[in-house]
Amino acid sequence: MIDARRLRTLRAVADHRTVTAAAAALYLTPSAVSQQLAALEQETGHHLLARDGRGVRLTAAGEILLVHADAVLAQLERAEADLAAYGAGAAGEVTVAAFATGITLVLAPAIAALGSAAPGLRLKVLDAEGDASLPMLLDSRADIAVAVEYRGAPRADDRRLTRVPLYAEPFEAVLPLGHRLAGGTGPVAVADLAAEPWIGPYPGNPCHDVVLLACEHAGFQPRLVHSSDDFRAVVALASAGAGVALVPRSALRGVELERVAVRPVDSELAMRRVFAAVRSGAEEHPLIRPVLEALTTVAAGVV
């Protein structure tokens, strides 16, 4: 009989590639993780892991078992949801990991709506960058992630996750007032900014990936001179003439824009796509379902 807890350990090692990192995600010691993996190999009669430099990789048998592990873990989530529904679990806590703008635009209004619609539901919010919330969800540190598409994100067909689209918003060009393109009215061609110094988020921030993708599609690599993950700082640098930037439209709300020009851009790739995600099988949990519904309702009026 295969112990489902050990399947969770196998999934964590597959995600994090080292026993130490998997142990940290599972709140276990590395020795406990190693013991669970050794026991799982005994249960299955196969070697499941092999050394790979300083880390580990799954063997062919490990990859086969991982496919079944994802299905088993998703079914366990469904079982918990069904049992909670049977027990009329209308009270409890749901942890949501979301990036700052997502908290402002959809999560905070959803909490306000749920205050009257589901008074027994308590939400715990964790501020996490758009590329951090999905790992937190998969490691069970969050019940719901409000995330954005980014390079390296789990694929849309990843069986570990159920996604709920929320909204998509364009990036806009932020230019110094004295810039040659500041006075126009139509969309700015991204290619026309190829020679400019750029201001943008740090690598790893999903918005950094969007900027690179839009520029690459326009035929150039942006010369990123200044870096900040704070869009207020990005706008301030642009207002000082330090460079140009692409910024998500919603991130400009409430920001001082008197000394910059904000123009739409001609790239369909300059878009931030936001979605909510839960672990597969958990979408019908009576505590999670109303949160997803509230997020969807609020998001319908965002863009």
Side-chain angles (χ1 to χ4, degrees), residues 1-92:
M1 182 71 69
I2 297 176
D3 190 325
R5 292 172 297 179
R6 292 169 186 151
L7 294 179
R8 292 189 187 277
T9 303
L10 181 69
R11 168 40 77 187
V13 171
D15 286 341
H16 296 281
R17 300 298 181 183
T18 70
V19 169
T20 300
L26 295 170
Y27 299 99
L28 297 173
T29 64
S31 61
V33 168
S34 296
Q35 290 170 10
Q36 289 196 23
L37 293 171
L40 186 59
E41 290 185 327
Q42 285 186 333
E43 289 171 348
T44 60
H46 292 278
H47 291 296
L48 303 174
L49 297 170
R51 289 286 179 187
D52 185 16
R54 296 184 178 181
V56 293
R57 60 174 175 81
L58 269 63
T59 64
E63 294 285 358
I64 291 171
L65 182 59
L66 188 66
V67 173
H68 294 284
D70 288 340
V72 169
L73 295 175
Q75 191 59 44
L76 287 174
E77 293 281 357
R78 293 186 187 96
E80 290 182 6
D82 288 346
L83 287 171
Y86 175 77

Side-chain angles (χ1 to χ4, degrees), residues 253-274:
R253 297 181 183 181
V255 178
E256 174 58 59
L257 300 175
E258 290 184 359
R259 293 184 292 168
V260 295
V262 178
R263 299 276 306 280
V265 294
D266 67 350
S267 175
E268 294 182 358
L269 298 176
M271 187 74 66
R272 176 158 68 174
R273 292 175 172 81
V274 181

Side-chain angles (χ1 to χ4, degrees), residues 61-300:
E63 294 285 358
I64 291 171
L65 182 59
L66 188 66
V67 173
H68 294 284
D70 288 340
V72 169
L73 295 175
Q75 191 59 44
L76 287 174
E77 293 281 357
R78 293 186 187 96
E80 290 182 6
D82 288 346
L83 287 171
Y86 175 77
E93 182 176 87
V94 174
T95 300
V96 184
F99 61 103
T101 308
I103 292 173
T104 301
L105 287 185
V106 294
L107 184 52
I111 291 174
L114 288 166
S116 56
L121 180 60
R122 303 185 307 278
L123 264 68
K124 177 181 178 181
V125 178
L126 303 178
D127 188 341
E129 288 295 340
D131 60 337
S133 58
L134 290 178
M136 294 171 70
L137 175 67
L138 291 171
D139 290 340
S140 297
R141 288 178 286 159
D143 303 304
I144 299 174
V146 176
V148 300
E149 295 287 358
Y150 62 94
R151 293 180 182 180
R155 290 165 49 95
D157 59 356
D158 192 312
R159 289 174 296 179
R160 295 173 293 167
L161 299 172
T162 296
R163 295 187 180 208
V164 178
L166 294 179
Y167 63 92
E169 62 172 328
F171 280 59
E172 297 192 323
V174 178
L175 311 172
L177 279 181
H179 192 277
R180 57 190 171 79
L181 299 176
T185 56
V188 171
V190 175
D192 287 344
L193 302 174
E196 305 289 343
W198 280 72
I199 312 158
Y202 284 101
N205 185 315
C207 291
H208 177 90
D209 292 341
V210 173
V211 172
L212 286 187
L213 188 61
C215 292
E216 288 170 2
H217 189 260
F220 70 97
Q221 289 280 340
R223 181 164 58 91
L224 284 165
V225 177
H226 310 286
S227 298
S228 175
D229 288 334
D230 185 336
F231 288 117
R232 293 179 184 273
V234 170
V235 171
L237 287 168
S239 71
V244 302
L246 295 183
V247 177
R249 177 177 292 169
S250 64
L252 295 173
R253 297 181 183 181
V255 178
E256 174 58 59
L257 300 175
E258 290 184 359
R259 293 184 292 168
V260 295
V262 178
R263 299 276 306 280
V265 294
D266 67 350
S267 175
E268 294 182 358
L269 298 176
M271 187 74 66
R272 176 158 68 174
R273 292 175 172 81
V274 181
F275 61 92
V278 299
R279 292 182 295 276
S280 290
E283 60 272 14
E284 292 303 320
H285 192 289
L287 293 178
I288 291 176
R289 185 178 63 253
V291 181
L292 292 177
E293 292 173 349
L295 288 171
T296 302
T297 299
V298 172

